[in-house]
Coordinates of all heavy atoms in Angstrom, one line a residue:
M13 N -20.6 58.0 1.6 CA -19.4 57.6 0.9 C -18.2 58.0 1.9 O -18.0 59.1 2.3 CB -19.2 58.4 -0.4 CG -18.0 57.9 -1.2 SD -18.0 58.7 -2.8 CE -19.4 58.0 -3.6
A14 N -17.4 57.0 2.2 CA -16.3 57.2 3.2 C -15.1 57.6 2.4 O -14.6 57.0 1.5 CB -16.0 55.9 3.9
K15 N -14.6 58.8 2.8 CA -13.5 59.4 2.1 C -12.5 60.0 3.2 O -13.0 60.6 4.2 CB -14.0 60.5 1.2 CG -13.2 61.0 0.1 CD -14.0 61.8 -0.8 CE -13.2 62.9 -1.5 NZ -14.0 63.7 -2.4
F16 N -11.2 59.8 3.1 CA -10.3 60.4 4.0 C -9.2 61.2 3.3 O -8.7 60.7 2.3 CB -9.6 59.2 4.8 CG -10.5 58.4 5.6 CD1 -11.2 57.4 5.0 CD2 -10.6 58.6 7.0 CE1 -12.0 56.6 5.8 CE2 -11.5 57.9 7.8 CZ -12.2 56.8 7.2
N17 N -9.0 62.4 3.7 CA -8.0 63.3 3.0 C -6.6 62.8 3.3 O -6.3 62.5 4.5 CB -8.2 64.7 3.5 CG -9.5 65.3 3.0 OD1 -10.0 65.0 1.9 ND2 -10.1 66.1 3.8
C18 N -5.8 62.9 2.3 CA -4.4 62.5 2.5 C -3.6 63.6 3.2 O -3.8 64.8 2.9 CB -3.8 62.3 1.1 SG -2.0 62.0 1.1
P19 N -2.8 63.3 4.2 CA -2.1 64.3 5.0 C -0.9 64.8 4.2 O -0.2 65.8 4.6 CB -1.6 63.6 6.2 CG -1.6 62.1 5.9 CD -2.6 61.9 4.8
Y20 N -0.5 64.2 3.1 CA 0.7 64.5 2.3 C 0.4 65.3 1.1 O 1.4 65.9 0.5 CB 1.5 63.3 2.0 CG 1.9 62.5 3.2 CD1 1.3 61.3 3.4 CD2 2.9 62.9 4.0 CE1 1.6 60.5 4.6 CE2 3.2 62.2 5.2 CZ 2.6 61.0 5.4 OH 2.9 60.3 6.5
C21 N -0.8 65.4 0.6 CA -1.1 66.1 -0.6 C -2.6 66.5 -0.6 O -3.3 66.3 0.4 CB -0.8 65.3 -1.9 SG -2.0 63.9 -2.2
D22 N -3.1 66.9 -1.7 CA -4.5 67.3 -1.8 C -5.4 66.1 -2.1 O -6.6 66.3 -2.4 CB -4.8 68.4 -2.8 CG -4.1 69.7 -2.3 OD1 -4.0 69.9 -1.1 OD2 -3.7 70.5 -3.2
G23 N -4.9 64.9 -2.3 CA -5.6 63.8 -2.7 C -6.4 63.1 -1.5 O -6.5 63.7 -0.4
F24 N -6.9 62.0 -1.7 CA -7.7 61.3 -0.7 C -7.8 59.8 -1.0 O -7.3 59.3 -2.1 CB -9.2 61.9 -0.7 CG -9.9 61.7 -2.0 CD1 -10.6 60.6 -2.3 CD2 -9.8 62.7 -3.0 CE1 -11.3 60.4 -3.5 CE2 -10.4 62.6 -4.2 CZ -11.2 61.4 -4.5
I25 N -8.3 59.1 0.0 CA -8.7 57.7 -0.3 C -10.2 57.5 -0.1 O -10.8 58.3 0.6 CB -8.0 56.7 0.7 CG1 -8.4 57.0 2.1 CG2 -6.5 56.7 0.5 CD1 -8.0 55.9 3.1
Q26 N -10.7 56.6 -0.9 CA -12.2 56.4 -0.8 C -12.3 54.9 -0.4 O -11.8 54.0 -1.1 CB -12.8 56.7 -2.1 CG -14.3 56.8 -2.1 CD -14.8 57.4 -3.4 OE1 -14.4 58.4 -3.8 NE2 -15.7 56.6 -4.0
T27 N -13.0 54.7 0.7 CA -13.1 53.3 1.2 C -14.4 52.6 0.9 O -14.6 51.4 1.2 CB -12.9 53.3 2.8 OG1 -13.9 54.1 3.4 CG2 -11.5 53.8 3.2
S28 N -15.3 53.4 0.2 CA -16.5 52.7 -0.2 C -16.7 53.0 -1.7 O -16.0 53.7 -2.3 CB -17.7 53.3 0.6 OG -17.8 54.7 0.4
G29 N -17.7 52.3 -2.3 CA -17.9 52.5 -3.7 C -17.8 51.2 -4.4 O -18.3 50.1 -4.0
L30 N -17.0 51.2 -5.5 CA -16.9 50.0 -6.4 C -16.3 48.8 -5.7 O -15.4 49.0 -4.9 CB -16.1 50.3 -7.6 CG -16.7 51.3 -8.6 CD1 -15.7 51.5 -9.8 CD2 -18.0 50.7 -9.2
I31 N -16.8 47.6 -6.0 CA -16.2 46.4 -5.5 C -15.8 45.6 -6.8 O -16.6 45.3 -7.6 CB -17.1 45.6 -4.7 CG1 -17.5 46.4 -3.4 CG2 -16.5 44.3 -4.3 CD1 -18.6 45.7 -2.5
P32 N -14.5 45.2 -7.0 CA -13.4 45.5 -6.1 C -13.0 47.0 -6.1 O -13.1 47.6 -7.2 CB -12.3 44.6 -6.6 CG -12.6 44.4 -8.0 CD -14.1 44.4 -8.1
N33 N -12.5 47.5 -5.0 CA -11.9 48.8 -4.9 C -10.5 48.8 -5.5 O -9.6 48.1 -4.9 CB -11.9 49.3 -3.4 CG -11.5 50.7 -3.3 OD1 -10.6 51.2 -4.0 ND2 -12.0 51.4 -2.3
L34 N -10.3 49.5 -6.6 CA -9.0 49.4 -7.3 C -7.9 50.1 -6.5 O -6.7 49.8 -6.9 CB -9.2 50.0 -8.7 CG -10.2 49.4 -9.6 CD1 -10.3 50.0 -10.9 CD2 -9.9 47.9 -9.7
S35 N -8.1 50.9 -5.5 CA -7.0 51.4 -4.7 C -6.8 50.7 -3.4 O -6.1 51.1 -2.5 CB -7.3 52.9 -4.4 OG -8.4 53.1 -3.6
E36 N -7.5 49.6 -3.2 CA -7.4 48.8 -2.0 C -6.6 47.6 -2.1 O -6.7 46.9 -3.1 CB -8.8 48.5 -1.5 CG -8.9 47.7 -0.2 CD -10.3 47.4 0.3 OE1 -11.2 47.7 -0.4 OE2 -10.4 46.9 1.4
S37 N -5.8 47.3 -1.1 CA -5.1 46.0 -1.0 C -5.5 45.4 0.4 O -5.8 46.1 1.3 CB -3.6 46.1 -1.1 OG -3.3 46.6 -2.4
L38 N -5.4 44.1 0.5 CA -5.7 43.4 1.7 C -4.4 42.7 2.3 O -3.7 42.1 1.5 CB -6.8 42.3 1.5 CG -8.1 42.9 0.9 CD1 -9.0 41.8 0.4 CD2 -8.8 43.7 2.0
L39 N -4.2 42.9 3.6 CA -3.0 42.3 4.2 C -3.4 41.3 5.2 O -4.5 41.4 5.9 CB -2.3 43.4 5.0 CG -1.8 44.7 4.3 CD1 -1.2 45.6 5.4 CD2 -0.7 44.3 3.3
I40 N -2.6 40.3 5.4 CA -2.8 39.4 6.5 C -1.4 39.0 7.1 O -0.4 38.9 6.3 CB -3.6 38.1 6.1 CG1 -4.0 37.3 7.3 CG2 -2.8 37.3 5.0 CD1 -5.0 36.2 7.0
S41 N -1.3 38.8 8.4 CA 0.0 38.4 8.9 C 0.3 37.0 8.5 O -0.6 36.2 8.2 CB 0.0 38.5 10.4 OG -0.7 37.4 11.0
D42 N 1.6 36.7 8.4 CA 2.1 35.4 8.0 C 1.5 34.3 8.9 O 1.0 33.3 8.5 CB 3.6 35.4 8.0 CG 4.2 34.2 7.2 OD1 3.5 33.8 6.2 OD2 5.2 33.7 7.6
K43 N 1.5 34.7 10.2 CA 1.0 33.7 11.2 C -0.5 33.4 11.0 O -0.9 32.2 11.0 CB 1.2 34.2 12.6 CG 0.5 33.4 13.7 CD 1.3 33.3 14.9 CE 0.7 32.4 16.0 NZ -0.3 31.5 15.7
E44 N -1.3 34.5 10.9 CA -2.7 34.3 10.7 C -3.0 33.5 9.4 O -3.9 32.7 9.3 CB -3.5 35.6 10.7 CG -3.6 36.1 12.1 CD -4.6 37.2 12.2 OE1 -4.4 38.3 11.5 OE2 -5.6 37.0 12.9
F45 N -2.2 33.8 8.4 CA -2.4 33.1 7.1 C -2.1 31.6 7.3 O -2.9 30.7 6.9 CB -1.5 33.6 6.0 CG -1.7 33.0 4.7 CD1 -2.8 33.2 3.9 CD2 -0.7 32.1 4.2 CE1 -3.0 32.6 2.7 CE2 -0.9 31.5 3.0 CZ -2.1 31.7 2.2
H46 N -1.0 31.3 8.0 CA -0.6 29.8 8.2 C -1.5 29.1 9.2 O -1.6 27.9 9.2 CB 0.8 29.7 8.6 CG 1.7 30.0 7.4 ND1 1.9 29.0 6.4 CD2 2.4 31.1 7.0 CE1 2.7 29.5 5.5 NE2 3.1 30.8 5.8
D47 N -2.2 29.9 10.0 CA -3.1 29.3 11.0 C -4.5 28.9 10.3 O -5.3 28.2 11.0 CB -3.4 30.3 12.2 CG -2.3 30.4 13.1 OD1 -1.4 29.5 13.0 OD2 -2.3 31.3 14.0
E48 N -4.7 29.4 9.1 CA -5.9 29.0 8.4 C -5.9 27.5 8.1 O -4.9 26.9 7.9 CB -6.0 29.8 7.1 CG -6.5 31.2 7.2 CD -8.0 31.2 7.6 OE1 -8.8 30.7 6.8 OE2 -8.3 31.7 8.6
P49 N -7.1 26.9 8.1 CA -7.2 25.5 7.8 C -6.7 25.3 6.3 O -6.7 26.2 5.5 CB -8.6 25.1 8.0 CG -9.4 26.4 8.0 CD -8.4 27.5 8.4
D50 N -6.4 24.1 6.0 CA -5.9 23.8 4.6 C -7.0 24.1 3.6 O -6.7 24.6 2.5 CB -5.6 22.3 4.5 CG -4.3 22.0 5.2 OD1 -3.5 23.0 5.5 OD2 -4.0 20.8 5.5
K51 N -8.3 23.9 4.0 CA -9.3 24.3 3.0 C -9.7 25.7 3.4 O -10.4 25.9 4.5 CB -10.5 23.3 3.2 CG -11.6 23.5 2.1 CD -12.5 22.3 2.1 CE -13.5 22.4 1.0 NZ -14.6 23.3 1.3
I52 N -9.4 26.6 2.6 CA -9.6 28.0 2.9 C -11.1 28.4 2.8 O -11.8 28.1 1.9 CB -8.8 28.9 2.0 CG1 -7.3 28.8 2.3 CG2 -9.2 30.4 2.1 CD1 -6.4 29.6 1.4
D53 N -11.5 29.1 3.9 CA -12.9 29.7 4.0 C -12.7 31.1 3.7 O -12.2 31.9 4.5 CB -13.5 29.4 5.4 CG -14.8 30.2 5.6 OD1 -15.2 31.0 4.7 OD2 -15.4 29.9 6.6
Y54 N -13.0 31.6 2.5 CA -12.7 32.9 2.1 C -13.3 34.0 2.9 O -12.8 35.0 3.2 CB -13.1 33.1 0.6 CG -12.0 32.5 -0.3 CD1 -12.3 31.2 -0.8 CD2 -10.8 33.1 -0.6 CE1 -11.3 30.6 -1.6 CE2 -9.9 32.5 -1.4 CZ -10.1 31.2 -1.9 OH -9.2 30.6 -2.7
E55 N -14.5 33.7 3.4 CA -15.2 34.7 4.3 C -14.5 34.9 5.6 O -14.2 36.0 6.0 CB -16.6 34.2 4.5 CG -17.5 35.4 4.9 CD -19.0 35.0 4.8 OE1 -19.4 34.4 3.8 OE2 -19.7 35.3 5.8
S56 N -14.0 33.8 6.2 CA -13.2 33.8 7.4 C -11.9 34.5 7.2 O -11.4 35.3 8.0 CB -13.1 32.4 7.9 OG -11.9 32.3 8.7
L57 N -11.3 34.2 6.1 CA -10.0 34.8 5.7 C -10.2 36.3 5.5 O -9.4 37.1 6.0 CB -9.4 34.2 4.4 CG -8.0 34.5 4.0 CD1 -7.0 34.0 5.1 CD2 -7.7 33.8 2.7
Y58 N -11.2 36.7 4.8 CA -11.4 38.1 4.5 C -11.6 38.9 5.8 O -11.1 40.0 5.9 CB -12.7 38.3 3.6 CG -12.9 39.7 3.2 CD1 -12.2 40.2 2.1 CD2 -13.8 40.5 3.8 CE1 -12.3 41.5 1.7 CE2 -14.0 41.9 3.4 CZ -13.3 42.4 2.4 OH -13.4 43.6 2.0
K59 N -12.3 38.3 6.8 CA -12.5 39.0 8.1 C -11.2 39.3 8.8 O -11.1 40.2 9.6 CB -13.5 38.2 9.0 CG -14.9 38.3 8.5 CD -15.8 37.5 9.4 CE -17.2 37.5 8.8 NZ -18.0 36.4 9.3
K60 N -10.2 38.5 8.6 CA -8.9 38.7 9.2 C -8.0 39.7 8.5 O -7.0 40.2 9.0 CB -8.1 37.4 9.3 CG -8.8 36.4 10.2 CD -7.9 35.1 10.1 CE -8.6 34.0 11.0 NZ -7.9 32.7 10.9
M61 N -8.4 40.1 7.3 CA -7.6 41.0 6.5 C -7.6 42.4 7.0 O -8.6 42.9 7.5 CB -8.1 41.0 5.0 CG -8.1 39.7 4.3 SD -6.4 39.3 3.9 CE -6.8 37.9 2.7
I62 N -6.4 43.0 6.9 CA -6.2 44.4 7.2 C -6.3 45.2 5.9 O -5.8 44.8 4.9 CB -4.8 44.6 7.9 CG1 -4.8 43.9 9.2 CG2 -4.5 46.1 8.0 CD1 -3.5 43.7 9.8
H63 N -7.1 46.3 5.9 CA -7.3 47.1 4.7 C -6.3 48.2 4.5 O -6.1 49.0 5.4 CB -8.8 47.6 4.7 CG -9.8 46.6 4.8 ND1 -10.5 46.1 3.7 CD2 -10.2 45.8 5.9 CE1 -11.3 45.1 4.1 NE2 -11.2 45.0 5.4
L64 N -5.8 48.2 3.3 CA -4.8 49.2 2.9 C -5.3 50.0 1.7 O -5.8 49.3 0.7 CB -3.5 48.5 2.6 CG -2.2 49.3 2.1 CD1 -1.0 48.4 2.3 CD2 -2.3 49.6 0.6
F65 N -5.2 51.3 1.7 CA -5.6 52.1 0.5 C -4.5 53.0 0.1 O -3.8 53.5 0.9 CB -6.9 52.9 0.9 CG -8.1 52.1 1.2 CD1 -8.2 51.6 2.5 CD2 -9.0 51.8 0.3 CE1 -9.3 50.8 2.9 CE2 -10.1 51.0 0.6 CZ -10.3 50.5 1.9
R66 N -4.4 53.2 -1.3 CA -3.5 54.2 -1.8 C -4.2 55.5 -2.1 O -5.3 55.5 -2.6 CB -2.9 53.6 -3.1 CG -1.8 52.6 -2.9 CD -1.0 52.5 -4.2 NE 0.1 51.5 -4.0 CZ 1.2 51.8 -3.4 NH1 1.5 53.1 -3.1 NH2 2.1 50.9 -3.2
C67 N -3.5 56.6 -1.8 CA -4.0 57.9 -2.1 C -4.1 58.0 -3.6 O -3.3 57.5 -4.4 CB -3.0 59.0 -1.6 SG -3.3 60.6 -2.2
N68 N -5.2 58.6 -4.0 CA -5.5 58.7 -5.5 C -4.5 59.7 -6.2 O -4.5 59.7 -7.4 CB -6.9 59.2 -5.7 CG -7.2 60.6 -5.3 OD1 -6.5 61.2 -4.5 ND2 -8.2 61.2 -5.9
S69 N -3.7 60.4 -5.4 CA -2.9 61.4 -6.1 C -1.4 61.1 -5.9 O -0.6 61.2 -6.8 CB -3.2 62.8 -5.5 OG -2.4 63.8 -6.0
C70 N -0.9 60.8 -4.7 CA 0.5 60.7 -4.4 C 1.0 59.3 -4.1 O 2.2 59.1 -3.8 CB 0.9 61.6 -3.3 SG 0.4 61.1 -1.7
N71 N 0.1 58.3 -4.1 CA 0.5 56.9 -3.8 C 0.9 56.7 -2.3 O 1.4 55.6 -2.0 CB 1.6 56.4 -4.7 CG 1.0 55.8 -5.9 OD1 -0.1 55.4 -6.0 ND2 1.8 55.8 -7.0
S72 N 0.7 57.7 -1.4 CA 0.9 57.4 0.0 C -0.1 56.3 0.4 O -1.1 56.1 -0.3 CB 0.6 58.6 0.9 OG 1.6 59.6 0.6
I73 N 0.1 55.6 1.5 CA -0.8 54.5 1.8 C -1.4 54.8 3.2 O -0.8 55.4 4.1 CB -0.2 53.1 1.8 CG1 1.0 53.0 2.7 CG2 0.2 52.7 0.4 CD1 1.6 51.6 2.8
A74 N -2.6 54.3 3.3 CA -3.4 54.4 4.6 C -3.7 53.0 5.0 O -4.3 52.3 4.2 CB -4.6 55.3 4.4
I75 N -3.3 52.6 6.2 CA -3.6 51.3 6.7 C -4.5 51.3 7.9 O -4.3 52.1 8.9 CB -2.3 50.5 7.0 CG1 -1.4 50.4 5.8 CG2 -2.7 49.1 7.6 CD1 -0.1 49.7 6.1
F76 N -5.6 50.6 7.8 CA -6.6 50.5 8.9 C -6.2 49.4 9.9 O -6.9 48.3 9.9 CB -8.0 50.4 8.4 CG -8.5 51.6 7.7 CD1 -8.1 51.9 6.4 CD2 -9.4 52.5 8.3 CE1 -8.6 53.1 5.8 CE2 -9.9 53.6 7.7 CZ -9.4 53.9 6.4
W77 N -5.2 49.6 10.7 CA -4.7 48.5 11.5 C -5.7 48.0 12.5 O -5.7 46.9 12.9 CB -3.5 49.0 12.3 CG -2.2 49.2 11.5 CD1 -1.6 50.4 11.2 CD2 -1.4 48.3 10.8 NE1 -0.5 50.3 10.4 CE2 -0.4 49.0 10.2 CE3 -1.5 46.9 10.7 CZ2 0.6 48.3 9.4 CZ3 -0.5 46.2 10.0 CH2 0.5 46.9 9.3
E78 N -6.6 49.0 13.0 CA -7.6 48.6 14.0 C -9.0 48.4 13.5 O -9.9 48.5 14.2 CB -7.6 49.7 15.1 CG -6.3 50.1 15.7 CD -5.6 48.9 16.4 OE1 -6.3 48.1 17.0 OE2 -4.4 48.8 16.4
G79 N -9.0 48.2 12.2 CA -10.3 47.9 11.5 C -10.9 49.2 10.9 O -10.4 50.3 11.1
M80 N -11.9 49.0 10.1 CA -12.4 50.0 9.2 C -13.2 51.1 10.0 O -13.6 52.1 9.5 CB -13.3 49.5 8.1 CG -12.6 48.6 7.1 SD -11.2 49.6 6.3 CE -12.2 50.8 5.4
N81 N -13.5 50.8 11.3 CA -14.2 51.8 12.1 C -13.3 52.7 12.9 O -13.7 53.5 13.7 CB -15.2 51.1 13.1 CG -16.3 50.4 12.3 OD1 -16.8 50.9 11.3 ND2 -16.7 49.3 12.8
S82 N -12.0 52.5 12.7 CA -11.0 53.3 13.4 C -10.3 54.2 12.3 O -10.5 53.9 11.1 CB -9.9 52.5 14.1 OG -10.5 51.7 15.1
L83 N -9.5 55.2 12.7 CA -8.8 56.0 11.8 C -7.6 55.2 11.2 O -7.0 54.5 11.9 CB -8.3 57.3 12.4 CG -9.5 58.3 12.8 CD1 -8.9 59.5 13.6 CD2 -10.2 58.7 11.5
P84 N -7.2 55.5 10.0 CA -6.0 54.8 9.4 C -4.7 55.5 9.8 O -4.7 56.6 10.3 CB -6.3 55.0 7.9 CG -7.0 56.3 7.8 CD -7.9 56.4 9.0
T85 N -3.6 54.7 9.7 CA -2.3 55.3 9.9 C -1.8 55.5 8.5 O -1.9 54.6 7.6 CB -1.4 54.3 10.6 OG1 -2.0 54.0 11.9 CG2 0.0 54.9 10.8
W86 N -1.2 56.7 8.2 CA -0.8 57.1 6.9 C 0.8 56.9 6.8 O 1.5 57.1 7.8 CB -1.1 58.5 6.6 CG -2.5 58.8 6.3 CD1 -3.5 59.0 7.2 CD2 -3.1 58.8 5.0 NE1 -4.7 59.1 6.5 CE2 -4.5 59.0 5.1 CE3 -2.6 58.6 3.7 CZ2 -5.4 59.1 4.1 CZ3 -3.5 58.7 2.6 CH2 -4.8 58.9 2.8
Y87 N 1.2 56.5 5.7 CA 2.6 56.3 5.4 C 3.0 56.8 4.0 O 2.1 56.7 3.1 CB 3.0 54.8 5.4 CG 2.7 54.1 6.7 CD1 1.4 53.5 6.9 CD2 3.6 54.0 7.7 CE1 1.1 52.8 8.0 CE2 3.3 53.3 8.9 CZ 2.1 52.7 9.0 OH 1.7 52.1 10.2
N88 N 4.1 57.5 3.9 CA 4.6 57.7 2.5 C 6.1 57.5 2.5 O 6.7 57.2 3.5 CB 4.2 59.1 2.1 CG 5.1 60.2 2.5 OD1 6.0 60.1 3.3 ND2 4.8 61.4 2.1
E89 N 6.7 57.6 1.4 CA 8.1 57.3 1.2 C 9.0 58.1 2.0 O 10.2 57.8 2.3 CB 8.5 57.3 -0.3 CG 8.3 58.6 -0.9 CD 8.5 58.6 -2.4 OE1 8.8 57.5 -2.9 OE2 8.3 59.6 -3.0
N90 N 8.6 59.3 2.5 CA 9.4 60.2 3.3 C 9.2 60.0 4.8 O 9.8 60.8 5.6 CB 9.2 61.6 2.9 CG 9.6 61.8 1.4 OD1 10.6 61.3 0.9 ND2 8.7 62.5 0.7
S91 N 8.2 59.2 5.2 CA 8.0 59.1 6.6 C 8.4 57.7 7.2 O 8.7 56.8 6.5 CB 6.5 59.3 6.9 OG 5.7 58.3 6.3
Ligands
ZN105 ZN1 -1.6 61.9 -1.2

């Protein structure tokens, strides 16, 4: 089970488990979205998505800019 501790509180994010993951959002750049063909291939679109997770305790976010095999960058309202 993939779990990363939040640097801002005692909470964490969990990147594996239930599908859909209720603390996960998916991002895509405007350019990549518009570069998609008119008929959307969801599998291809999903592969371009950047994964964002919210801390289970403080709502800070962790974004896996370089993919799920790299460490996330954390952000909160004070940083
Ligand atoms: Zn937190």
Side-chain angles (χ1 to χ4, degrees):
M13 186 175 293
K15 199 168 151 182
F16 297 82
N17 292 325
C18 176
Y20 302 107
C21 77
D22 292 333
F24 60 88
I25 60 167
Q26 194 168 305
T27 59
S28 58
L30 291 178
I31 298 174
N33 184 327
L34 299 181
S35 67
E36 180 176 7
S37 293
L38 300 167
L39 303 174
I40 189 167
S41 75
D42 197 32
K43 170 142 183 18
E44 283 193 298
F45 183 74
H46 285 284
D47 285 349
E48 277 293 296
D50 287 342
K51 187 166 186 281
I52 290 178
D53 173 352
Y54 285 98
E55 202 165 311
S56 152
L57 190 63
Y58 186 80
K59 283 180 186 158
K60 294 178 180 174
M61 297 286 193
I62 293 162
H63 298 262
L64 175 160
F65 295 84
R66 280 197 179 277
C67 171
N68 69 335
S69 176
C70 74
N71 272 336
S72 292
I73 60 175
I75 301 180
F76 289 79
W77 292 112
E78 307 301 327
M80 294 303 293
N81 293 324
S82 299
L83 291 174
T85 303
W86 286 85
Y87 304 86
N88 82 354
E89 59 190 359
N90 300 316
S91 65

